[in-house]
């Protein structure tokens, strides 16, 4: 019964995320927020962060849970370079999930790296997993969830967050394709408008020039 209930909850969460993706073709924020909501709830985590990686810096774009001080710190931190040897840097380098049962035992916390210290002391995080968002084998972001106590995550939970990470990449790709299609359509429409003006004003160049400038700007 419990396994069936768990499977149903996971399928319901997946369906809900896909629904949000289909209803938000140009806006990624509702998708990211929904993913974190389900990831933290189903994996019994108190805190979740979702970020995008541009090849150099990591940009936190969504967060769920945590206290007000931690939320303010995440915003104030802005884009950052992951600490060398830390879980985030390892996830990016290895392109696979990283599971740290106790952040206090990690090298970043012992070396007093600001990110690790803030996570533990302000965010109250102890057990931790970070899962990559992969596009064509390249890390484009990640989902990270935390527990306030030392209680390692199960492989099922790690696999579930990996599924959510795949859905986040689908959403990113959908927005990119939508914007590219919209841009191409706008350019074709502009070209057609200019050709229409040319054909309708054979002796007069001024309307053509005006149409060119209007569409270019």
């Amino acid at each position: 019964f419990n396994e069936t209930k768990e499977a149903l909850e996971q399928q319901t969460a997946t369906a809900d995320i896909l629904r949000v993706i289909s209803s938000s073709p140009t806006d990624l924020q509702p998708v990211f927020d929904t993913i974190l909501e389900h990831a933290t709830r189903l994996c019994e985590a108190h805190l979740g962060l979702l970020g995008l990686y541009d090849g150099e810096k990591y940009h936190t774009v969504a967060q769920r849970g945590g206290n007000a001080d931690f939320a303010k710190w995440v915003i104030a931190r802005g884009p950052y370079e992951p600490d060398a040897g830390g879980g985030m840097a390892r996830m990016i380098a290895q392109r696979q999930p990283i599971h740290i049962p106790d952040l206090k035992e990690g090298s970043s916390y012992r070396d007093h790296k600001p990110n690790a210290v803030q996570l533990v002391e302000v965010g109250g995080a102890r057990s931790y997993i970070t899962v990559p968002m992969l596009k064509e084998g390249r890390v484009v972001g990640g989902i990270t969830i935390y527990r306030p106590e030392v209680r390692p995550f199960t492989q099922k939970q790690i696999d579930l967050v990996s599924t959510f990470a795949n859905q986040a990449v689908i959403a990113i790709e959908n927005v990119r394709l939508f914007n590219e299609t919209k841009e191409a359509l706008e350019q074709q429409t502009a070209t057609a408008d200019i050709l229409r003006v040319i054909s309708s004003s054979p002796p007069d160049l001024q309307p053509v020039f005006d149409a060119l400038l209007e569409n270019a700007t």
Side-chain angles (χ1 to χ4, degrees), residues 53-95:
Y53 182 62
D54 63 9
E56 294 182 0
K57 292 189 175 182
Y58 198 80
H59 306 248
T60 302
V61 295
Q63 59 176 308
R64 180 175 179 81
N67 54 50
D69 289 338
F70 181 78
K72 290 177 182 178
W73 172 76
V74 169
I75 295 172
R77 175 180 60 175
Y80 68 98
E81 295 181 9
D83 297 330
M88 190 68 65
R90 288 163 53 199
M91 178 271 282
I92 293 171
Q94 299 175 22
R95 294 176 293 177

Side-chain angles (χ1 to χ4, degrees), residues 76-154:
R77 175 180 60 175
Y80 68 98
E81 295 181 9
D83 297 330
M88 190 68 65
R90 288 163 53 199
M91 178 271 282
I92 293 171
Q94 299 175 22
R95 294 176 293 177
Q96 63 183 17
I98 298 297
H99 184 199
I100 300 178
D102 187 359
L103 281 169
K104 278 192 173 182
E105 297 300 321
S107 60
S108 293
Y109 182 79
R110 292 200 302 266
D111 293 341
H112 305 291
K113 298 290 181 63
N115 286 332
V117 171
Q118 289 289 329
L119 278 168
V120 174
E121 303 297 339
V122 181
R126 294 296 294 271
S127 291
Y128 154 106
I129 56 171
T130 182
V131 175
M133 292 157 47
L134 297 171
K135 179 185 176 184
E136 299 175 352
R138 178 172 54 89
V139 176
V140 297
I143 300 173
T144 310
I145 60 174
Y146 309 84
R147 283 176 173 157
E149 72 278 1
V150 178
R151 182 161 57 99
F153 292 89
T154 66

